[in-house]
Amino acid sequence: MNRLLNRSLCVTLQALGVVALGAAIAQAQADTTLRVGLNADIRSTEPGVNRDENTDTVMLHIVEGLVAHREDASVGPLLAREVQVSDDGLTYTFKLREGVRFHNGATLTAADVKWTWSHYLNPQTQWRCLAEFDGRGGAKITNITTPDPLTVVFQLDQPSGLFLASMARPDCGGGGILHPDSVAADGRWKAPIGTGPFTLAQWKPGQSVELARFKDYSARDDAGPDGFTGKKQALVDTVRFMIIPDAASAKAALLSSNVDLLPDVTASDAQELKAMPGIQVSVSPIMAICGLLFQTNDPLLKDVRIRQAIARSLDYGQMVTALSNGLSEPNNSAIPQTSPFYDTTAKQGYQYDPQEAQRLLKEAGYHGQPIKMNVNKRYQQMFDMGVLSQAMAQATGLNIEMETLEWGTQLERYQSGNYQMMSFSYSSRLDPALGFDSLMGDKSKEPRKVWDNPQAQALLRDAVRQSDTGKRQALFDQLHRMMIEDTPMVIIYNGTIIGGLRDSVRGYHSWPVAKPRLWGVSLAAQ
């Protein structure tokens, strides 16, 4: 009997040893780091403040808003489990999910939502999207109340068809809800304490930004990921964004397995990567606006005939084929081609007509005065767009001189309106009203705005308030025709987003919002 017990105990201990060994192996396999290449450092860690594309990308893994964009670009609940809108469109009631935790362990309450939005709406915060909520760019938030710990009510001064979409905007930091401890007692920003699937672990300026899996993350009860909402699961322990400014070095890092993923590679590099063993690419059309900006207050470019001459000097088919390696088509409209509002009117743009360009220049009295165009090499498509535009415009007698700037300097020039002409791209706007709004405004109040036309701004205000699809379509068509006539900029194309990744990366795909999402992404054993 004792021998039998001893034998049984031995077998049990061996089994436990196997289980322990298996658990240790599993744990070792789980301790994974996904290395992602970024072409430049982030600008800050404060969502929607002192931000750019890379900053937004990192912050949207750390913070979450009440709502977010789904895969199809519609808006759905995220931290909210339900959104109720009053019949008059003036009251939005958000019912929060229970048990959501911040990275510091605190439980999300309605008071945190109110504090966060009070922080955003304070002009001293300098939030990127303040104008969308203080009445300058649409409806004004007049009051925020918290009837109970899981209910937040926003009151507006007028109906808005864009209130939720503006809340979800990536360039607004997704309206990410923050714990008050993110800010010091004196109002100074410290670090983001959000509710996202990753926490900010370490930022080494100029080198890397490291995120850690948030083990107490409260995922939505959905079948799977859905854009920026849905069920998010961090499947790696660490995400390390590695700063690699040089595109050739970034490609070499991918090929040598020093990085696992490059979220944004050029079309020409994508063709090369496709042929490489162990590499795959993920392609998606995007809703970005890529083109040439004109400073309409400039003594020379305030003449619409010169702006129209530039527009007619460009061979859009040839240019876009070269810029996208044949993956995109020209689009002169602020309405992206993937938008349901892109119709036959939006397809009517500028015609390549060098003779008409020369006639317009002669009529305007242009005789070769130099026009300085700002470009940068951080975003290769902006630089290439400038080079091609310069060469084509030169053939009609235009004297465009390129000035290559650091991206930060060019962004400051854009924000201040301190330029003559600029090759530039706007990130995806998922509603045409938001796309037009990114371009339009009173330059005396918002110098970064390109198109200053009071009549067009009145039409946009109608489109923002309007919820009827047919009426919105008519307003967007009218705005498109007016913009083609005024030519405050030349929109050239929307483009694509192409990700290059190692075969070991599972679950990653590009999408129209053009921001990498690294939840639901895992690394297979090598």
Side-chain angles (χ1 to χ4, degrees), residues 16-31:
L16 288 174
V18 170
V19 170
L21 178 60
I25 293 173
Q27 179 62 39
Q29 291 174 339
D31 291 337

Side-chain angles (χ1 to χ4, degrees), residues 253-296:
L254 179 67
L255 295 175
S256 61
S257 299
N258 287 319
V259 298
D260 304 298
L261 168 65
L262 297 178
D264 188 6
V265 301
T266 65
S268 57
D269 280 345
Q271 287 296 107
E272 180 183 348
L273 292 172
K274 282 181 181 179
M276 298 292 183
I279 303 293
Q280 54 182 313
V281 299
S282 177
V283 182
S284 172
I286 58 174
M287 303 177 82
I289 295 174
C290 307
L292 309 175
L293 313 187
F294 301 126
Q295 178 49 267
T296 56

Side-chain angles (χ1 to χ4, degrees), residues 459-508:
L459 290 173
L460 179 61
R461 285 193 292 272
D462 288 343
V464 168
R465 288 191 293 264
Q466 186 57 249
S467 58
D468 181 87
T469 300
K471 293 178 180 178
R472 296 189 90 214
Q473 182 72 69
L475 289 166
F476 292 143
D477 288 348
Q478 192 171 351
L479 282 168
H480 170 72
R481 287 190 291 264
M482 290 178 66
M483 191 169 184
I484 291 295
E485 182 179 349
D486 283 3
T487 317
M489 68 177 294
V490 179
I491 299 174
I492 296 174
Y493 75 125
N494 299 125
T496 56
I497 184 72
I498 309 172
L501 51 149
R502 304 288 311 177
D503 280 345
S504 56
V505 178
R506 305 291 169 83
Y508 179 84

Side-chain angles (χ1 to χ4, degrees), residues 27 41 46 110 268 277 280 318 342 350 358 415 507 511:
Q27 179 62 39
D41 204 353
E46 189 169 4
S268 57
Q280 54 182 313
Q318 180 181 347
Y342 185 77
Y350 303 107
Q358 290 172 340
Q415 296 282 4
W511 66 311

Side-chain angles (χ1 to χ4, degrees), residues 74-141:
S74 63
V75 177
L78 181 50
L79 290 179
R81 60 176 172 81
E82 181 183 353
V83 183
Q84 301 169 354
V85 185
S86 62
D87 291 340
D88 61 6
L90 299 179
T91 304
Y92 284 74
T93 302
F94 297 87
K95 299 290 187 177
L96 302 181
R97 290 159 43 211
E98 295 185 36
V100 174
R101 292 195 176 276
F102 285 105
H103 298 153
N104 62 358
T107 301
L108 170 71
T109 68
D112 299 310
V113 176
K114 182 174 181 178
W115 179 89
T116 297
W117 274 89
S118 298
H119 173 73
Y120 287 146
L121 295 174
N122 184 345
Q124 293 184 351
T125 301
Q126 298 184 334
W127 186 41
R128 163 77 171 85
C129 295
L130 177 61
E132 314 308 322
F133 300 97
D134 68 358
R136 285 178 291 164
K140 179 181 180 179
I141 297 174

